[in-house]
Amino acid sequence: MKFEINSTTSESRARAGKLETAHGDILTPIFMPVGTAGSVKGIHFDDLKKDVKAQIILGNTYHLYLRPGIEVIEEAGGLHKFNSWDGPILTDSGGFQVFSLGDIRKLSEEGARFQSHIDGSYHMFTPENVMDIQRSIGADIIMAFDECTPGDADFNYAKKSLELTQRWLDRCFERFISTSPKYGFKQSLFPIIQGSGFPELRKLATEHVKTYDADGYAIGGLSVGEPEDVMYNMIDVVTAGLPLNKPRYLMGVGTPVNILEAIDRGIDMFDCVMPTRNGRNGMLFTSEGIINIRNKKWQKDFSPIDKNGVSNLDIRHTKAYLRHLIISNEMLGAQIASQHNLAFYLWLVTEARNRIIEGDFKQWKNEMVKKLIQRL
RNA sequence: GGGAAGAUACCGAAGCGGUCAAACGGGGCAGACUGUAAAUCUGUUGGCUCAGCCUUCGUAGGUUCGAAUCCUGCUCUUCCCA
């Protein structure tokens, strides 16, 4: 996988780049819509590509492993064939589920034993079988199996957790390099940097992942309950230590403001459920600020969803109509809101890229942040 | 014409002498959501000069220290018989 930096800025760490995968190029910075179960909730792939302008989507090892199951995906010929998305795909390893399904799993040196949230059955994830599973799913970018350390972890827990993640990373790479892709194209394995909110641990973690000449490096364990300034500080610490010529992926982040701040600090890739989940729940991110479309004040507002919006739906539909759909629990409402939010996120990172190239990123970012935190 | 049951807050529906401004649903209003156990979850929903007070359980009276709860008249609704 090739990554080239097209442009950098003098007053910030922000970069514009291009990541080449077997399923197409990705212009960075990029936001990657989350498609946990092989589907970005509520959005068809045609709209994702043409209207949202998504360049890469996610899938999730844990969810796909439980359902439909790896046999099905293998027989289909991999996830690309199965769901028909022909662009790049990244799969998360299930490490986040080890965190979010905390009460129904048990960690050991070997791996994570967990209960399915679907039927309660017991399963075991190890660094080795998670690599195998991700080979079978066949994403272009696959993630190391890690423990996503909780945001409120104390130093001792965070240190032990990081050390486990590091030992697991060694096993991930060992397995990864001794196996081959199943569908005739190259896969890249990204390590994940943990260390919670402790700069010294983050530095150690950064040094450790650099012992592998990976195609990209991810930062995990942020936006999991810690204060925002801690998150920004950790990003600073990590990006300062990472090689310049490799993409950096900040996992699970975040709000539009989080994304701009992270781009400013040298992050290239993002994913987050926020545009889709919050969209389903009536929260819109727009060029003017944040809208809770369920609020009564939009009941008779027949202005476009977002007058500056880039999605076709933004001008076509009014706030009043979208409010009606969401309030009435019509599934079209969730679809429109999700598609709008995703299109907005993709616009935001694309615009950031343009500004980096133009050279006025910092100024633009500061203006945008002011707008984006407003509640309309 | 005769008989039976019932009328509770925005709607439905509990309550059947004091602990009732009144359970529970729905609806309304607002909030949360960051590598998706989420088309989910939480709060709130008579008024006020708000640790208290005022007005509310069809309506007008009555019994009682005390009534949404008991009694009487009236109005309306539903069902059954003719």
Side-chain angles (χ1 to χ4, degrees):
Chain A
M1 182 175 291
K2 193 179 149 199
F3 181 66
E4 64 180 53
I5 306 249
N6 307 118
S7 191
T8 56
T9 52
S10 51
E11 73 251 294
S12 100
R13 288 215 188 93
R15 334 88 72 71
K18 184 171 81 171
L19 184 59
E20 297 177 10
T21 79
H23 289 89
D25 297 346
I26 300 162
L27 300 177
T28 65
I30 188 64
F31 178 81
M32 309 180 283
V34 178
T36 305
S39 131
V40 176
K41 292 188 192 301
I43 313 293
H44 194 267
F45 298 101
D46 290 344
D47 294 321
L48 211 48
K49 185 149 271 185
K50 290 176 191 145
D51 191 69
V52 170
K53 297 188 167 59
Q55 299 180 43
I56 170 172
I57 63 173
L58 261 64
N60 187 281
T61 301
Y62 168 85
H63 294 272
L64 293 169
Y65 160 81
L66 289 181
R67 205 164 51 187
I70 296 312
E71 274 186 36
V72 173
I73 303 233
E74 279 187 345
E75 233 175 279
L79 184 56
H80 286 93
K81 291 258 170 59
F82 187 50
N83 73 5
S84 91
W85 172 259
D86 59 5
I89 297 178
L90 179 153
T91 43
D92 188 25
S93 62
F96 184 73
Q97 280 63 44
V98 170
F99 157 76
S100 66
L101 276 52
D103 50 338
I104 50 173
R105 56 78 171 156
K106 195 172 162 81
L107 290 186
S108 66
E109 185 62 35
E110 190 192 358
R113 183 172 165 76
F114 60 89
Q115 269 185 284
S116 160
H117 71 278
I118 298 164
D119 63 5
S121 55
Y122 286 90
H123 302 266
M124 181 84 188
F125 270 173
T126 65
E128 290 79 15
N129 73 11
V130 166
M131 290 301 101
D132 294 345
I133 294 167
Q134 292 190 95
R135 285 290 196 196
S136 294
I137 295 171
D140 300 85
I141 299 171
I142 71 176
M143 301 305 299
F145 187 56
D146 65 334
E147 184 195 359
C148 180
T149 313
D152 58 357
D154 62 38
F155 184 83
N156 284 333
Y157 184 92
K159 183 165 183 286
K160 282 179 69 175
S161 170
L162 170 62
E163 287 164 358
L164 181 65
T165 288
Q166 291 178 329
R167 291 192 297 274
W168 284 1
L169 179 64
D170 297 337
R171 287 163 57 190
C172 281
F173 265 101
E174 200 171 319
R175 185 62 153 234
F176 180 71
I177 59 176
S178 65
T179 54
S180 305
K182 295 193 166 170
Y183 308 110
F185 58 87
K186 184 178 182 288
Q187 295 179 286
S188 297
L189 171 62
F190 283 20
I192 301 171
I193 295 162
Q194 291 290 340
S196 197
F198 303 102
E200 54 270 55
L201 294 182
R202 289 282 175 182
K203 279 180 196 165
L204 285 172
T206 305
E207 290 310 307
H208 180 258
V209 298
K210 277 160 64 179
T211 61
Y212 294 97
D213 183 28
D215 287 334
Y217 298 91
I219 307 174
L222 291 178
S223 66
V224 286
E226 81 286 358
E228 266 189 355
D229 57 321
V230 172
M231 170 167 77
Y232 295 143
N233 188 234
M234 293 306 106
I235 297 169
D236 273 328
V237 166
V238 170
T239 54
L242 284 173
L244 288 170
N245 62 341
K246 295 289 173 70
R248 297 89 170 259
Y249 164 30
L250 178 58
M251 305 185 75
V253 174
T255 67
V257 171
N258 291 159
I259 288 175
L260 292 185
E261 293 295 350
I263 289 172
D264 192 24
R265 291 166 169 79
I267 300 293
D268 306 296
M269 303 165 70
F270 301 89
D271 80 283
C272 191
V273 304
M274 194 170 270
T276 44
R277 180 189 288 169
N278 289 31
R280 287 197 300 282
N281 296 328
M283 188 174 186
L284 306 181
F285 300 97
T286 78
S287 57
E288 307 287 298
I290 295 168
I291 290 177
N292 183 345
I293 200 66
R294 293 182 324 205
N295 288 172
K296 195 184 185 77
K297 59 182 154 190
W298 310 115
Q299 186 178 42
K300 293 178 181 173
D301 189 320
F302 301 105
S303 64
I305 292 171
D306 184 352
K307 66 176 193 231
N308 305 314
V310 292
S311 167
N312 292 324
L313 305 180
D314 288 335
I315 304 300
R316 176 169 186 166
H317 296 300
T318 64
K319 296 185 180 80
Y321 179 60
L322 180 55
R323 174 178 194 270
H324 159 68
L325 293 179
I326 297 265
I327 293 267
S328 308
N329 207 22
E330 284 291 323
M331 58 176 120
L332 183 60
Q335 292 171 351
I336 292 172
S338 298
Q339 189 166 325
H340 157 79
N341 277 348
L342 284 177
F344 176 72
Y345 267 61
L346 266 296
W347 170 82
L348 187 71
V349 293
T350 303
E351 189 62 12
R353 184 174 203 278
N354 293 339
R355 299 297 178 152
I356 293 164
I357 292 168
E358 293 296 317
D360 60 350
F361 170 78
K362 195 90 176 179
Q363 187 194 337
W364 171 81
K365 186 213 85 175
N366 290 336
E367 285 165 14
M368 279 307 294
V369 165
K370 279 183 212 153
K371 279 192 195 171
L372 293 174
I373 57 174
Q374 288 188 89
R375 302 222 162 212
L376 304 181

